[in-house]
Amino acid sequence: MILLFLELKIQAALILKDAIQSAGFEIEDSELYFETSPHADLASRAAFKLASLAKKSPKDLAALIASKIEIPDGSYIGEIKPVGPYINFWASRNYLDGTVAAILTEQEKFGCGAPKDKILLEHTSANPNGPLHVGHIRNSIIGDTLARILKRAGYEVEVQYYVNDMGRQIAVVSWACERFELDLSKKSDSAIAEVYIKANAALEEHPEYVDFIDSLMEKVEAGDVGTIESFDKAVSLSVAGIKETLLRLNVSHDKFVKESTFLKSGAVHDIVERIKATGRTDIDKGALVVDLLDYGFEKTLVIQRSNGTSLYTTRDLAYHEWKATRADRVIDVFGADHKLISGQLRATLNAIGIQEPEVVIFEFVSLPEGSMSTRRGQFISADDLFDKVTTEAFEQVESRRPDTSEEFKREVAEMVGMGAVRYDIVRVSPEKSTVFNWKEAMDFEKQGAPYIQYSHARACSILEKAKEEVAWDPNAKIDSSLLVEDSEIALIKKMALFDSIIDNCARDLKPHTLAIYARELADAFNQFYRFVPVIAAEDEQVRAARLVLADCARIVIANALDTLGIGAPESM
RNA sequence: GGGCUCGUGGCUUAGCCAGGAUAUAGCGUCGGGCUUCUAACCCGAAUGUCAGGGGUUCGAAUCCUCUCGGGCCCGCCA
């Protein structure tokens, strides 16, 4: 793994720190105040911070520090200049040439970090009471993109889907399957949703049926074989459909872990005992509750119903205990409705000395008519969205590339459509609640996934043509110092940022930053494409260098798309 | 009622955690660009009291506080 921008920053820090010390001041690494800036490749605001201490103006101080700067030979830093109170850093030719060389050497590994700890990441974990809807896939897309980012950053990542196979909703599903006829001509998860919606309507009309649902839950908890089988059957049908949907979204899980596992193993019982041993528990109207007041929670947390059965929370505690033993870090991606409960979960785990998960919260996706609900049948299924988007994409391919084969059109439509869905969701930062909008989701003109994919296809197209027309050899040695045009340099610098983007995303657990970077990278390539002739370059050496640059762009765009879980078509 | 969170041009959105150089980009609008490597592209223009008030600071979209508006949550659902 070769560091570029991250290395540039390290070198800049050393140089600046030495200069500040030569100027007679002490400063910590964390006080160098580096920032990326439109005015330079890297800028420092350290002069502002030292100003009051030094009793000098930031401007004078910046000039003083700059005058003490010594750049070692071979540095990634080429020039450092004070501009007003700022100390601006520009990259050297060495950095640009190093970037091109690193991309060629590392290819699809470009941007990867050093090997790190093991992370266990849980995402999606939607209840198996119907198909995934457009709210659930925000979880899947954020979770899957994070998993890809963390892997590229160097972590060993195991991804899990936690399957609720014994809660109240599942009891309703199981009851629904017996009471109403399943239409198995449909996709299995949709068939489940259909009877689940009917069952909920029936329960609302006849509240007396609720006792029966309760008895089902008690039977499962007691290990009644027939009831467990009936729950399992319903859950399997839903999960099979959910897996199909996730596969199409290019989202994968290493394990589907069932809640009931922890009841059967005795882990749920054991963890309740451990919590009791802390002296924090109490009986409130027959239910076992945990006092978490010292963790800032006014209300107690119920971990056992008055009839003695466990709750989702109880089983989730046991699940997290198990996860903590399998990895160095545990990360959960949850919807905003889990904010409070995940805080209580963390507090309880902390109270019994178990490693707490890091929780990534995303806000809800609602419909113009209100929030989505499987129970009420108010949702847009992910399958429906995928079908509509890929159908629209197919029409686009048909009109833009009429001479291509049916198979080509279908493949491109799938990549473009699904890419558009993933990009549209991942580009927005998780803390914003959004309203689903068909028009936005179907728009391929804006700078979304198709824009990035198109730039990749363009790069591939140049290279293909070069192989045919000028017998281009991708392995031929080139002189990258011939890449001197503004748009060439801007493209190289943008590519060099990839490692630090991955690093930042992995640290902050914020995948939208990568989405924005990918778009800017495509932007930089498109400008190069527009302003600089590659195959038609007059000088043969220059042409060879530009072809390599196009190849580098192809590699980095493909890596960025791959990390976003979006396909990179060679032609579209 | 209480807690958490969001509010940035007509619409969508970056920057906010770690306060500093003309506030990011897209869509839409207006104008320009295909005899040249795929125009799902590129270039230019107009559009902002960064929800509103108050405070901290040499300096606030960013920190604190209040108000308003949207979303989510508030013990035996998950």
Side-chain angles (χ1 to χ4, degrees):
Chain A
M1 137 227 76
I2 304 167
L3 298 182
L4 292 157
F5 189 74
L6 288 171
E7 175 63 26
L8 177 98
K9 211 167 162 179
I10 290 166
Q11 293 185 9
L14 287 173
I15 294 169
L16 181 61
K17 210 173 164 187
D18 280 350
I20 289 172
Q21 281 169 353
S22 315
F25 305 104
E26 276 303 317
I27 195 159
E28 292 299 313
D29 284 355
S30 62
E31 291 169 343
L32 295 172
Y33 299 96
F34 280 119
E35 62 184 19
T36 52
S37 151
H39 309 281
D41 294 327
L42 194 64
S44 168
R45 304 190 311 263
F48 277 112
K49 303 302 162 187
L50 290 169
S52 59
L53 190 74
K55 303 209 187 319
K56 280 177 184 294
S57 77
K59 189 171 182 286
D60 292 346
L61 204 55
L64 173 66
I65 294 166
S67 72
K68 303 286 184 193
I69 276 171
E70 284 175 41
I71 304 173
D73 286 346
S75 175
Y76 274 176
I77 308 293
E79 192 185 8
I80 301 172
K81 268 197 320 211
V83 177
Y86 297 88
I87 302 165
N88 286 350
F89 294 68
W90 282 271
S92 65
R93 188 71 235 179
N94 195 25
Y95 176 72
L96 302 177
D97 294 337
T99 300
V100 171
I103 297 166
L104 290 178
T105 306
E106 301 197 300
Q107 299 276 323
E108 74 280 356
K109 297 277 178 214
F110 178 74
C112 288
K116 299 180 178 68
D117 290 353
K118 173 159 182 189
I119 294 180
L120 208 162
L121 176 73
E122 177 198 340
H123 72 76
T124 306
S125 304
N127 279 330
N129 55 7
L132 296 179
H133 60 54
V134 297
H136 296 130
I137 64 170
R138 188 172 193 191
N139 190 322
S140 309
I141 292 167
I142 290 171
D144 185 65
T145 308
L146 274 178
R148 290 165 184 272
I149 288 167
L150 292 167
K151 282 178 193 165
R152 191 167 280 276
Y155 294 96
E156 182 194 340
V157 183
E158 179 176 332
V159 184
Q160 296 189 351
Y161 185 123
Y162 187 46
V163 183
N164 167 10
D165 64 339
M166 57 177 298
R168 166 163 251 108
Q169 298 181 25
I170 302 314
V172 174
V173 170
S174 163
W175 177 68
C177 287
E178 282 173 20
R179 190 177 166 88
F180 304 99
E181 202 184 334
L182 270 176
D183 178 0
L184 288 174
S185 67
K186 293 191 164 155
K187 189 157 167 279
S188 58
D189 49 356
S190 293
I192 292 286
E194 204 171 69
V195 296
Y196 177 69
I197 293 160
K198 283 185 194 166
N200 276 291
L203 282 168
E204 209 155 299
E205 211 172 308
H206 302 282
E208 66 273 19
Y209 294 160
V210 171
D211 287 347
F212 182 68
I213 300 295
D214 285 344
S215 74
L216 287 180
M217 289 196 292
E218 280 174 44
K219 279 184 182 169
V220 163
E221 188 108 0
D224 180 77
V225 176
T227 316
I228 289 174
E229 273 177 13
S230 137
F231 274 39
D232 273 352
K233 194 179 139 222
V235 167
S236 310
L237 283 169
S238 293
V239 169
I242 287 170
K243 281 183 176 172
E244 259 184 67
T245 305
L246 290 173
L247 183 69
R248 193 170 178 197
L249 234 200
N250 197 20
V251 169
S252 70
H253 290 85
D254 298 301
K255 279 197 177 71
F256 279 67
V257 181
K258 290 181 175 181
E259 268 189 59
S260 59
T261 322
F262 303 100
L263 191 78
K264 284 185 208 147
S265 73
V268 171
H269 171 84
D270 293 349
I271 205 159
V272 167
E273 291 307 314
R274 272 177 80 177
I275 297 166
K276 279 185 186 167
T278 62
R280 298 177 162 270
T281 56
D282 204 349
I283 302 292
D284 186 358
K285 293 172 201 145
L288 185 68
V289 300
V290 190
D291 179 1
L292 298 169
L293 189 62
D294 52 333
Y295 285 95
F297 297 98
E298 294 286 329
K299 296 184 176 172
T300 55
L301 175 69
V302 180
I303 56 168
Q304 207 167 60
R305 294 191 184 95
S306 45
N307 67 6
T309 57
S310 63
L311 287 98
Y312 153 82
T313 313
T314 330
R315 292 171 318 248
D316 209 20
L317 283 163
Y319 175 43
H320 277 86
E321 178 189 30
W322 177 74
K323 286 202 282 191
T325 64
R326 295 176 58 94
D328 302 298
R329 286 170 68 187
V330 176
I331 300 175
D332 297 330
V333 182
F334 291 150
D337 54 338
H338 278 65
K339 243 182 259 184
L340 176 61
I341 192 72
S342 63
Q344 292 171 318
L345 176 92
R346 285 167 49 108
T348 309
L349 288 169
N350 180 280
I352 53 175
I354 293 171
Q355 181 193 210
E356 303 162 46
E358 298 161 52
V359 179
V360 175
I361 296 286
F362 67 94
E363 292 290 332
F364 270 42
V365 180
S366 57
L367 298 175
E369 52 270 35
S371 61
M372 271 179 274
S373 158
T374 305
R375 182 170 51 77
R376 298 198 311 272
Q378 187 174 86
F379 61 89
I380 294 170
S381 77
D383 298 325
D384 197 14
L385 170 66
F386 299 169
D387 287 344
K388 286 208 167 64
V389 166
T390 50
T391 300
E392 170 66 21
F394 188 88
E395 284 169 21
Q396 294 284 335
V397 185
E398 194 134 61
S399 70
R400 293 168 202 266
R401 304 294 301 275
D403 300 334
T404 56
S405 72
E406 188 75 7
E407 197 194 356
F408 173 88
K409 287 173 192 160
R410 255 193 315 170
E411 274 176 19
V412 172
E414 190 68 18
M415 264 198 249
V416 166
M418 297 308 295
V421 168
R422 284 192 69 131
Y423 192 87
D424 204 42
I425 289 172
V426 80
R427 60 177 249 272
V428 181
S429 95
E431 65 267 18
K432 302 255 188 192
S433 51
T434 62
V435 176
F436 181 78
N437 180 331
W438 276 110
K439 195 166 162 282
E440 288 271 309
M442 310 282 282
D443 182 5
F444 303 130
E445 293 292 327
K446 65 183 177 193
Q447 288 193 356
Y451 175 82
I452 303 160
Q453 291 170 316
Y454 185 64
S455 66
H456 178 265
R458 276 179 145 182
C460 291
S461 171
I462 290 182
L463 301 173
E464 271 312 301
K465 204 150 209 161
K467 281 177 192 159
E468 289 166 18
E469 292 183 5
V470 296
W472 175 59
D473 171 13
N475 298 313
K477 285 293 249 183
I478 56 110
D479 179 4
S480 60
S481 70
L482 296 170
L483 301 168
V484 295
E485 300 295 329
D486 285 352
S487 63
E488 292 173 332
I489 290 169
L491 175 58
I492 296 171
K493 285 180 178 173
K494 191 55 89 174
M495 295 191 296
L497 280 176
F498 191 49
D499 60 10
S500 90
I501 296 293
I502 293 294
D503 198 59
N504 286 340
C505 286
R507 192 195 56 216
D508 299 340
L509 302 177
K510 296 242 169 118
H512 73 285
T513 317
L514 175 63
I516 291 159
Y517 168 76
R519 198 208 64 224
E520 289 173 352
L521 177 63
D523 219 353
F525 176 76
N526 278 328
Q527 284 177 39
F528 161 70
Y529 183 94
R530 163 69 180 78
F531 290 111
V532 180
V534 178
I535 294 174
E538 291 184 6
D539 183 283
E540 203 170 312
Q541 299 290 315
V542 170
R543 178 174 66 207
R546 286 178 183 168
L547 279 165
V548 161
L549 180 57
D551 199 26
C552 288
R554 173 189 67 79
I555 292 164
V556 185
I557 293 168
N559 289 0
L561 284 171
D562 176 66
T563 313
L564 289 167
I566 296 172
E570 292 177 13
S571 173
M572 65 185 270

